[in-house]
Amino acid sequence: MSLWKEFAKGLWDENPVWVLLLGMCPLLAVTNTAVNGLAMGLATAFVLLGGGIVNSLLKNVIPHKVRIPCYIVVIATFVTIADYVMAAYFPEVHKLLGLFIPLIVVNCLILGRSESFATQNPVHYAISDALGMGVGFTWALTFLGIIREIFGFGSIFGVQVLGDWFTPWIIAVLPAGAFLTMGIVLAIFNVLKSGSTSEAECH
Amino acid sequence: MAKEDSKVAMVAVLTIIMILSATVLTFVFGFTKPKIDAYAAQQKKKAILNVLPGATKYKTIQKGNLELYKGYDKNGDLVGTAIETKGPGFQGMIKLMLGMNLKNDKVLAIKILSHLETPGLGARITEPWFENQFKNKQFNDKFKAKSDVKAIAGATISTQAVSDIIENTIQKVQKVTDGGE
Amino acid sequence: MELLLVFLGASITNNFILARFLGICPFLGVSKEVPTAFSMGLATTFVMTTSAMVVWFVQTFILEKFGLPYLQYVAFILVISAFVQLTEMAVRKISEPLYKALGIFLPLITTNCAILGLALLIPLKGYSFIESTIFGFGAGVGFTLAMVLMAGMRERLAFADVPEPLQGAPMTLIIAGMMAMAFMGFSGMIAM
């Protein structure tokens, strides 16, 4: 077990989005543009890291029976910090992500990592795992955001890349488009991984 | 930790964690609140001055149950009156700032503040050509989409919703000010 | 009339799953068969309705009264998880068959973001107590509707010849996309 291995697994082999299918709600809801996807990914990564460190440090203090409420309180605290800091320093992005920042609390990815990794391992492995998962989640969200933004608005990160000839496919930035894009991207990844199919499970 | 956790320990740990959490959050809140408030105030000022061309400062006054913002230019002359208003759109509330000249009963400008309209269709209400078409509209105009208001293709309902909000707000303002200042 | 609009808005036009993206996890995970999907829907509806009421009290009489907006997330999630726990215990005491039908789903509901999403929407919308309750109930009914429809389609799909790369999650997501398109037909019918 090396720190690098714990970090790298989150990027692809155990990517929280493409392989573990965790955190689908924010994934689908806020990825209508690349910037939104990136911001949401970073906010989630911050909570993942903070929650992972604290929960890992507290693992010997917290009685087993009340561990879930304790983890949730710690996570909710970090989410509130992220929420207020974003509102203060990045108000534009904060407005766009809206309700989905508080919902990071119930992102199964975060509680899942705290429960299954951070509290089973020493804190430096927890940090490495949280960073890997955070980066993996962020790139997945940004990637999906880029695809939907190109089709929906003809731009990437707000910069127009397709000319006037392009009629935006509005469907791509609507809710329906989120499901369709995600389904198609997953299918393509399945082909790339030569047919190994994954099953949607959250818990 | 022992396998059988005592009830006291469970309650104690949970309580301590919650107290810590509340302490940290109180601190974060105290630290970020001024910034958040400052941003909100600055956004409001920008929106108000935006719909009152030429105005450099504004004063808040209370007329009836409405909060009105009177804008003045650098010579201290009254430019117009602004009001923040909202109404139902196609999918959710549309909030907008409306600037009016109550002397000659004309709309000065409007600015959409927030909305939940369909991206690419109704969401185009925030485009300058759409907002600018309300400039200099008479209070007694019809405010009808496709007649005196240019409609967004595929989003007549959103267009009409904005027009209705403006028309209703003008009536409310006129009621409290009785046409005068 | 107002209340009917709140109900229809929460259940159909702004369906929690298909328009707000809340509760996607159970929607994808527990929608293979109609009976399970229906039980999950029922359990969720129950928790949504009751936690809508509790959350309204917490928001009005604690958070607003004492000026503690920054404790909102922590308070809501604790209230919800405590409440789900209580519900589980109550159901077990009251009816054994009901517990068997719903019991296993209840712990899952705590991390269902539809519940916390609902809780956070209530103060935003400024609903009264009655409206909050109806809103919670409507959201639950809409959730159940989407779950059952999805399960019905997936039951049929089990016999279909789906290309291999699309099997499992991709196909489920694509069907969900089509359902979302169908539900778009309702949008705008009720101004929120």
Side-chain angles (χ1 to χ4, degrees):
Chain A
M1 196 157 90
S2 73
L3 286 174
W4 170 250
K5 226 176 77 198
E6 296 307 329
F7 174 76
K9 71 175 193 293
L11 304 185
W12 181 259
D13 289 339
E14 287 181 38
N15 184 284
V17 173
W18 311 121
V19 180
L20 306 178
L21 292 167
L22 292 173
M24 295 299 266
C25 302
L27 174 80
L28 295 169
V30 301
T31 53
N32 50 2
T33 63
V35 176
N36 286 4
L38 182 66
M40 188 67 194
L42 291 178
T44 310
F46 166 76
V47 177
L48 199 55
L49 184 63
I53 294 173
V54 174
N55 285 337
S56 180
L57 287 174
L58 289 179
K59 63 178 176 288
N60 293 324
V61 185
I62 297 173
H64 185 74
K65 270 189 187 152
V66 288
R67 67 187 194 289
I68 300 285
C70 289
Y71 299 161
I72 290 182
V73 170
V74 170
I75 293 168
T77 310
F78 277 100
V79 170
T80 315
I81 294 174
D83 189 34
Y84 277 98
V85 170
M86 275 176 102
Y89 295 95
F90 310 100
E92 305 286 334
V93 182
H94 180 261
K95 211 171 136 190
L96 288 171
L97 296 179
L99 188 64
F100 281 89
I101 298 175
L103 289 180
I104 296 174
V105 176
V106 280
N107 187 329
C108 12
L109 169 63
I110 294 173
L111 192 60
R113 289 329 284 178
S114 270
E115 165 82 355
S116 70
F117 194 95
T119 50
Q120 314 288 335
N121 291 286
V123 69
H124 51 290
Y125 285 113
I127 293 174
S128 158
D129 174 75
L131 284 175
M133 286 290 159
V135 173
F137 191 67
T138 308
W139 88 254
L141 255 72
T142 315
F143 181 71
L144 209 60
I146 289 174
I147 295 180
R148 288 179 66 196
E149 192 179 339
I150 291 181
F151 284 118
F153 298 114
S155 58
I156 298 177
F157 284 107
V159 180
Q160 206 68 31
V161 288
L162 297 177
D164 286 337
W165 53 268
F166 179 73
T167 310
W169 302 3
I170 288 163
I171 185 78
V173 289
L174 295 182
F179 289 111
L180 295 176
T181 318
M182 181 65 191
I184 292 164
V185 171
L186 267 186
I188 293 171
F189 277 19
N190 281 343
V191 174
L192 291 180
K193 284 186 294 180
S194 65
S196 65
T197 52
S198 42
E199 190 52 56
E201 292 295 348
C202 193
H203 297 279
Chain B
M1 263 286 133
K3 280 211 178 84
E4 267 311 304
D5 305 310
S6 73
K7 286 220 165 75
V8 183
M10 289 193 330
V11 174
V13 170
L14 200 51
T15 315
I16 291 168
I17 289 184
M18 279 162 67
I19 292 171
L20 281 179
S21 151
T23 318
V24 170
L25 290 182
T26 311
F27 179 71
V28 170
F29 183 68
F31 188 68
T32 51
K33 187 84 183 0
K35 280 213 156 54
I36 296 170
D37 288 346
Y39 177 77
Q42 179 211 335
Q43 285 302 97
K44 190 172 167 188
K45 185 174 175 195
K46 218 170 95 190
I48 291 170
L49 297 185
N50 241 328
V51 295
L52 300 172
T56 53
K57 56 175 188 280
Y58 73 89
K59 223 169 64 190
T60 309
I61 57 162
Q62 201 74 27
K63 268 271 165 79
N65 53 355
L66 300 179
E67 196 177 281
L68 300 174
Y69 311 108
K70 294 210 164 286
Y72 300 91
D73 65 13
K74 53 183 184 297
N75 302 326
D77 293 329
L78 183 69
V79 177
T81 308
I83 181 169
E84 193 183 312
T85 179
K86 65 180 180 183
F90 182 62
Q91 274 174 332
M93 279 293 167
I94 299 177
K95 251 196 201 164
L96 58 85
M97 187 68 79
L98 169 67
M100 299 156 292
N101 186 337
L102 296 173
K103 280 197 192 107
N104 59 7
D105 287 358
K106 272 185 178 172
V107 174
L108 285 169
I110 69 153
K111 181 88 197 150
I112 308 285
L113 300 177
S114 70
H115 68 86
L116 294 168
E117 304 304 281
T118 322
L121 295 170
R124 295 180 61 200
I125 54 174
T126 56
E127 290 181 4
W129 71 267
F130 182 80
E131 292 180 342
N132 286 342
Q133 66 169 325
F134 291 98
K135 276 186 181 163
N136 285 325
K137 271 188 97 51
Q138 297 280 353
F139 281 3
N140 52 12
D141 276 352
K142 278 185 292 187
F143 286 99
K144 271 268 169 294
K146 288 179 166 167
S147 148
D148 62 330
V149 176
K150 250 187 288 168
I152 296 163
T156 316
I157 296 179
S158 300
T159 312
Q160 189 56 51
V162 173
S163 310
D164 286 343
I165 296 169
I166 298 172
E167 200 180 12
N168 293 336
T169 309
I170 289 172
Q171 280 168 5
K172 268 192 249 164
V173 172
Q174 280 187 319
K175 218 183 240 165
V176 294
T177 56
D178 271 334
E181 281 296 311
Chain C
M1 193 57 207
E2 277 289 296
L3 294 178
L4 188 67
L5 285 184
V6 169
F7 176 78
L8 289 176
S11 59
I12 308 280
T13 50
N14 283 314
N15 187 284
F16 266 55
I17 292 178
L18 297 168
R20 288 197 204 273
F21 299 107
L22 296 170
I24 306 286
C25 288
F27 179 61
L28 298 178
V30 205
S31 63
K32 272 189 209 131
E33 285 152 356
V34 174
T36 12
F38 186 67
S39 304
M40 179 72 185
L42 272 191
T44 310
T45 308
F46 178 73
V47 175
M48 275 184 158
T49 316
T50 40
S51 49
M53 299 188 226
V54 178
V55 155
W56 187 86
F57 274 105
V58 171
Q59 175 70 21
T60 317
F61 293 114
I62 299 178
L63 296 179
E64 272 173 24
K65 201 164 179 187
F66 298 109
L68 299 168
Y70 51 93
L71 289 182
Q72 196 186 43
Y73 308 160
V74 179
F76 281 8
I77 190 71
L78 268 181
V79 165
I80 291 168
S81 54
F83 203 72
V84 170
Q85 200 98 58
L86 281 179
T87 313
E88 195 187 347
M89 290 194 283
V91 169
R92 192 187 306 198
K93 276 237 168 93
I94 293 164
S95 150
E96 194 60 32
L98 191 65
Y99 179 72
K100 279 206 174 112
L102 303 184
I104 49 162
F105 298 111
L106 284 169
L108 287 181
I109 290 176
T110 314
T111 49
N112 181 344
C113 51
I115 313 278
L116 185 63
L118 173 91
L120 294 166
L121 279 168
I122 286 172
L124 275 185
K125 287 185 172 281
Y127 281 151
S128 69
F129 178 68
I130 306 275
E131 281 170 333
S132 301
T133 314
I134 300 283
F135 184 65
F137 181 63
V141 170
F143 182 85
T144 313
L145 183 69
M147 287 285 284
V148 171
L149 286 176
M150 186 66 174
M153 280 192 276
R154 284 181 76 176
E155 277 185 354
R156 291 284 187 98
L157 208 64
F159 301 106
D161 186 17
V162 178
E164 203 187 324
L166 283 175
Q167 276 169 18
M171 197 61 211
T172 313
L173 284 161
I174 290 170
I175 303 174
M178 290 175 183
M179 273 172 74
M181 274 196 259
F183 269 69
M184 267 165 62
F186 294 112
S187 70
M189 279 168 65
I190 299 162
M192 290 294 286

